[in-house]
Amino acid sequence: MSKRPHETPTIHVHWVDRGHDPTQPPNLDFPTGTDIDLTGGMGKGCKTSLPYPAKRCG
């Protein structure tokens, strides 16, 4: 399957509540959260927002 040049891949992300309450409070040094790079140094990646602080662990 080939893509046309103007098409951008889309990844849909949703929060999965695992039903566990957090054992630590949110880190006040990062009031809006923090980015986590899961690309392994590959450079290009994508980004999405998740609720922060999360009500429970996901």
Side-chain angles (χ1 to χ4, degrees):
M1 178 168 105
S2 65
K3 291 183 183 177
R4 287 178 262 165
H6 67 278
E7 291 183 77
T8 302
T10 303
I11 299 172
H12 298 279
V13 177
H14 67 275
W15 180 256
V16 176
D17 186 335
R18 297 290 182 200
H20 301 282
D21 290 321
T23 59
Q24 303 295 317
N27 187 334
L28 298 179
D29 290 338
F30 302 97
T32 59
T34 184
D35 291 338
I36 300 172
D37 182 1
L38 299 176
T39 66
M42 296 296 289
K44 284 190 173 187
C46 60
K47 183 176 179 175
T48 190
S49 296
L50 294 172
Y52 182 83
K55 291 182 181 179
R56 301 199 325 166
C57 300

